[in-house]
Amino acid sequence: MISVAQVLGLHGLGLRPVVSGDTSLPVSWVATSELVDPTLYLNGGEIILSTGLRGPSARRDWEEYVQRLVDRGVVALGLGVGDLLTWNRVPEDLATAAHGAGLTLFEVPERTPFLRIIQEVAGLRAAEERTALEATLTHQRALTRAATALDGSLQVLRSLATLIPGAWAAMCTADGEIQESSAVNAPAVPSDRSLEQMIGRLRSAGLRGSLSESGPRGSIVVHPLGVHGDPQSYLVVVLTGPVERLHAATITTAVALLSLHAERTAEQRLSRRRIRAGALALLLGGDVRASDALLAVAGDAPWGGTVRRVRAGRLRGKAERLQMALRRLEDHEDRTGHRILTGTLAPADAEGSGEMDTAVLFQDAHTTLAALRRIVEVADLRAGIGGSSSLDDAATSHGQAIDTLHRTAARQRIGTWDDVVAGGVAGLLPPGAARAWAHELLEPLSSQGPAGTRLLRTLRVFLTHNGNRRQTAEDLGVHRNTLLHQLQLIEKAYGRSLDDPQWRADLWIALHLPGN
């Protein structure tokens, strides 16, 4: 960036400041004009050179002229002075007007051609561009060296933070979770929005989206990473000041290197995921030995002999949501060391729903179960989680997971076999068939209207007290003879004795199903 001060300090030009405004302002170019209003031909950021040949003569006219320049973004005005020129010194009215508007004003001696000033500034720009190019190449080499390390992505982030002083760089998931960062302690995001919200704005744009915000608290830049398809992750760079040209070029290089790394990692992960999915299928089929042999191909430790208790899960949802959940489960395994295997996606049972299913098998640990719940909720999936079982009996847990998944609904998207079992035998019955069976079983009483409702209440209390007539009468607040009469009406409606234990068990289950 060339500043006004640099131009005024050019050696051998003899430029003499008359009014010093903000000389730190950047100079976009140097232009000459003798027009009273040259602003139609300016973009802003220029230094204007003039001999004042057609310039104003009255003070008010000078004030209007200077104000037009300032409003257009002109950063300085140079007036040529000499015995052979219009003015042999800067008019006092012009100096007063420039001082009032805060515009830098300087004299250009007659011996200094305007063209020479333009050539000198062009030389400064060329030198600046060479320096910027050299710095960019240096940064590119440093980032490329970092990318060749075993932990290439982490080293690129650290190198990026070093090349941009005071910066912090990180790779994040689509929901704003930090995967890797240049420093452990993340700085405050210089924005009114959270990192998750900013990345959320970019998701729909895929790899084409990017975001850059600057303000008094600093700057933040977010870029998607990947080569094709959906972004694998996002690069986030937080700077303490504005994003300068060199910073932007350095970040662009980092995006390219990290995108290639992300794509390569995604391909390796996909290949490894397929192998592990095959190992999961073998485990669910009861072949632990063959599963361990396949896991060895993926570079994984065996499950047999090392994992004692497992749980299976069955996840359902849109394919992209499931993929996000599987990536997060893999990240959880990498962080905690708790073993997790995920399967391939398959169409869900619901025809035409557009949803997919996948199986999950994980080491029975409270932290992993809690993590699975969080991931399912964030990804907006439905999930059934089987009970704890031995590794050899993983298929049983998977069957329980499938059964539990069928019991989930929009309001309760996650179900566990433990919760189903806690509901007793009634909770284990298929919901639809159980309701139909209970309706048919209780219909002889429920069809009798208010009288039948009283008999159903009597039956429920009677079964609750395990057939104890005295306690039932007390609980209902009726005479013993009244109770006996009601029980006789129940037996008459069914044509069976309430002393039959099997029938009493069936009635108990029917009365305790939801809706009864």
Side-chain angles (χ1 to χ4, degrees), residues 124-141:
L124 285 177
R125 289 193 63 175
E128 184 181 55
E129 290 175 359
R130 283 196 301 272
T131 302
L133 178 60
E134 291 171 359
T136 299
L137 292 173
T138 300
H139 287 192
Q140 288 176 348
R141 294 189 188 100

Side-chain angles (χ1 to χ4, degrees), residues 457-484 486-487 504 508:
R457 181 170 181 269
T458 297
L459 179 59
R460 183 188 295 273
V461 176
F462 176 73
L463 295 175
T464 298
H465 291 297
N466 198 25
N468 188 304
R469 289 167 172 78
R470 181 182 60 80
Q471 291 180 339
T472 301
E474 291 177 357
D475 197 346
L476 291 171
V478 299
H479 192 274
R480 179 180 175 85
N481 291 336
T482 302
L483 172 63
L484 292 175
Q486 291 178 348
L487 295 178
R504 283 164 65 165
W508 171 261

Side-chain angles (χ1 to χ4, degrees), residues 72-96:
R72 189 56 175 169
V74 171
V75 295
L77 172 63
L79 184 67
V81 295
D83 294 336
L84 300 178
L85 298 178
T86 306
W87 304 93
N88 58 13
R89 62 186 181 86
V90 173
E92 291 185 8
D93 289 342
L94 173 58
T96 301

Side-chain angles (χ1 to χ4, degrees), residues 496-507:
R496 299 180 65 176
S497 170
L498 286 172
D499 291 333
D500 183 345
Q502 178 61 54
W503 186 45
R504 283 164 65 165
D506 289 345
L507 290 171

Side-chain angles (χ1 to χ4, degrees), residues 121-349:
V121 171
L124 285 177
R125 289 193 63 175
E128 184 181 55
E129 290 175 359
R130 283 196 301 272
T131 302
L133 178 60
E134 291 171 359
T136 299
L137 292 173
T138 300
H139 287 192
Q140 288 176 348
R141 294 189 188 100
L143 290 170
T144 303
R145 282 195 301 271
T148 60
L150 291 177
D151 53 346
S153 58
L154 178 59
Q155 293 307 319
V156 168
L157 294 175
R158 289 176 175 172
S159 180
L160 181 60
T162 301
L163 294 170
I164 304 177
W168 176 84
M171 286 175 59
C172 299
T173 64
D175 53 356
E177 181 181 355
I178 297 173
Q179 296 172 306
E180 292 181 316
S181 63
S182 59
V184 176
N185 296 324
V189 176
S191 173
D192 294 333
R193 291 173 294 173
S194 67
L195 188 56
E196 182 178 358
Q197 290 173 328
M198 285 188 283
I199 293 177
R201 287 186 58 191
L202 300 180
R203 283 199 202 113
S204 60
L207 294 173
R208 301 187 306 275
S210 63
L211 181 148
S212 180
E213 290 186 8
S214 295
R217 292 179 289 171
S219 304
I220 183 168
V221 179
V222 182
H223 280 280
L225 299 176
V227 177
H228 53 74
D230 294 328
Q232 302 297 326
S233 51
Y234 291 81
L235 171 65
V236 177
V237 183
V238 177
L239 301 86
T240 55
V243 182
E244 297 180 4
R245 188 175 175 182
L246 178 59
H247 299 162
T250 303
I251 292 172
T252 299
T253 300
V255 168
L257 292 171
L258 290 173
S259 292
L260 291 173
H261 183 275
E263 201 67 27
R264 185 167 60 249
T265 301
E267 291 174 359
Q268 295 170 347
R269 177 173 283 186
L270 179 60
S271 176
R272 182 169 178 259
R273 186 180 291 167
R274 287 171 176 165
I275 296 173
R276 285 160 58 89
L280 172 58
L282 289 170
L283 278 177
L284 295 179
D287 196 341
V288 178
R289 180 174 297 181
S291 175
D292 283 347
L294 194 55
L295 286 172
V297 176
D300 284 11
W303 281 52
T306 60
V307 179
R308 297 183 180 277
R309 305 293 296 179
V310 296
R311 284 182 185 265
R314 189 80 172 185
L315 312 184
R316 176 171 295 175
K318 298 298 182 182
E320 63 273 12
R321 292 286 182 173
L322 280 171
Q323 292 287 8
M324 181 181 74
L326 297 185
R327 285 197 296 268
R328 295 201 62 182
L329 283 171
E330 290 167 353
D331 291 341
H332 176 80
E333 181 184 23
D334 292 340
R335 288 195 305 270
T336 64
H338 292 165
R339 310 298 298 277
I340 301 174
L341 286 177
T342 59
T344 55
L345 304 189
D349 295 338

Side-chain angles (χ1 to χ4, degrees), residues 2-17 30 47 49 78-81 106-124:
I2 304 169
S3 67
V4 174
Q6 284 178 277
V7 176
L8 294 178
L10 286 170
H11 180 68
L13 297 183
L15 306 180
R16 187 181 72 84
V30 178
I47 291 178
L49 302 179
L79 184 67
V81 295
F106 60 92
E107 286 185 351
V108 182
E110 186 177 358
R111 61 179 175 79
T112 302
F114 286 175
L115 180 60
R116 185 180 171 191
I117 299 174
I118 296 173
Q119 290 172 333
E120 291 288 344
V121 171
L124 285 177

